[in-house]
């Protein structure tokens, strides 16, 4: 995603699964928070489980966005991040939405060789929680405007958390899915002729969390 400008579009995502979009001129505080990768500074939006995030994949061939240190600090990271590369597309705006302290600090799309046919695309999401350990069921999918599902992956009982020295504590982690699409199809993504939607469904499992309080 390109650097956030005054034309910021804020995603308002509701637990019923119906995504609404609100557009407004960004305040200096909003612009600073989002450009620094600290969208959570704008204030949390509390959601009920299951939480559904829907984000348009408006991919461009422009300069990639540099990720903030808090994203780069996660121990188990995608290969492109380990290699010090930047994603083709990213959004950190999802960090504002929280479900019983679980949140998605960022979503990323990386293309290793965009000129290759077929084009291999890797989509990853970072997941964490304010509890020291929390189990989540996560479903990520890419859906085309006609409703066709291009890719889907499900993770059962993924443990995440705020980390720490506790042996049983959860930690922030990346969940990754990949797909190969024809070069002609990828060209439509880049041109804006075809804008898929990235859907992320997060459901709290068990009792919700293991209390750290």
């Amino acid at each position: 995603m390109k650097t956030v400008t005054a034309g910021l579009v804020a995603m308002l995502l509701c637990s019923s699964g119906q995504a609404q979009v609100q557009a407004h001129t960004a305040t200096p505080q909003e612009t600073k928070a989002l450009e620094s990768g600290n969208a959570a500074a704008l204030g949390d939006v509390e959601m009920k489980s299951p939480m559904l995030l829907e984000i348009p994949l408006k991919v461009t061939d422009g300069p990639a966005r540099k990720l903030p240190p808090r994203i780069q600090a996660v121990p188990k990271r995608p290969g492109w991040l380990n290699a010090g590369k930047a994603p083709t597309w990213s959004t950190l705006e999802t960090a504002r939405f929280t479900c019983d302290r679980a949140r998605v600090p960022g979503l990323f799309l990386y293309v290793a060789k965009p000129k290759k046919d077929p084009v291999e695309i890797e989509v990853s999401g970072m997941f964490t929680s304010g509890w020291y350990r929390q189990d989540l069921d996560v479903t990520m999918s890419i859906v085309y405007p006609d409703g066709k599902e291009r890719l889907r992956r499900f993770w059962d009982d993924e443990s995440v958390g705020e980390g720490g020295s506790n042996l049983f504590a959860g930690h922030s982690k990346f969940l990754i899915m990949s797909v190969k699409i024809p070069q002609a199809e990828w060209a439509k993504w880049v041109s804006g002729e075809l804008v898929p939607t990235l859907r992320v469904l997060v459901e709290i499992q068990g009792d919700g969390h293991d209390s750290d309080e």
Side-chain angles (χ1 to χ4, degrees):
M1 176 179 287
K2 294 183 178 179
T3 301
V4 179
T5 64
L8 168 69
V9 176
M11 298 297 297
L12 178 61
L13 304 163
C14 59
S15 57
S16 65
Q18 299 297 318
Q20 300 177 357
V21 179
Q22 292 186 341
H24 66 278
T25 300
T27 66
Q29 179 188 10
E30 289 173 326
T31 301
K32 182 178 180 180
L34 289 168
E35 287 182 343
S36 66
N38 189 23
L42 300 177
D44 287 344
V45 180
E46 297 287 344
M47 312 294 290
K48 293 182 179 180
S49 178
M51 174 175 69
L52 176 63
L53 307 176
E54 295 185 299
I55 306 94
L57 279 172
K58 295 182 178 179
V59 182
T60 69
D61 55 2
R65 178 179 186 173
K66 184 178 180 180
L67 301 180
R70 67 190 182 88
I71 299 292
Q72 301 183 38
V74 178
K76 295 182 179 180
R77 307 176 299 178
W80 53 266
L81 188 53
N82 284 329
K85 299 178 181 179
T88 304
W89 171 94
S90 68
T91 180
L92 306 178
E93 295 172 40
T94 53
R96 295 187 62 193
F97 301 93
T98 180
C99 182
D100 189 22
R101 296 196 186 182
R103 69 177 77 233
V104 186
L107 294 167
F108 314 92
L109 182 145
Y110 179 75
V111 181
K113 297 178 180 179
K115 302 301 181 182
K116 186 178 179 181
D117 196 1
V119 177
E120 186 168 356
I121 296 172
E122 180 181 289
V123 178
S124 56
M126 180 179 169
F127 295 81
T128 191
S129 173
W131 298 110
Y132 88 89
R133 183 185 177 92
Q134 188 173 45
D135 293 333
L136 311 174
D137 277 0
V138 177
T139 302
M140 290 202 297
S141 59
I142 294 177
V143 182
Y144 282 163
D146 62 2
K148 178 183 177 181
E149 195 171 67
R150 193 65 176 84
L151 177 66
R152 169 196 286 246
R153 185 168 176 185
F154 171 74
W155 291 266
D156 184 34
D157 282 345
E158 284 289 337
S159 296
V160 297
E162 63 180 7
S165 57
N166 188 304
L167 180 62
F168 300 101
H171 298 268
S172 298
K173 65 172 59 174
F174 282 91
L175 299 180
I176 303 169
M177 61 180 184
S178 60
V179 64
K180 292 182 178 180
I181 64 174
Q183 175 65 46
E185 191 174 333
W186 170 245
K188 291 182 179 180
W189 286 34
V190 175
S191 68
E193 181 180 348
L194 181 60
V195 180
T197 296
L198 175 58
R199 290 178 178 169
V200 182
L201 183 67
V202 179
E203 186 171 6
I204 309 299
Q205 293 302 296
D207 295 329
H209 60 267
D210 292 325
S211 177
D212 58 351
E213 299 177 343

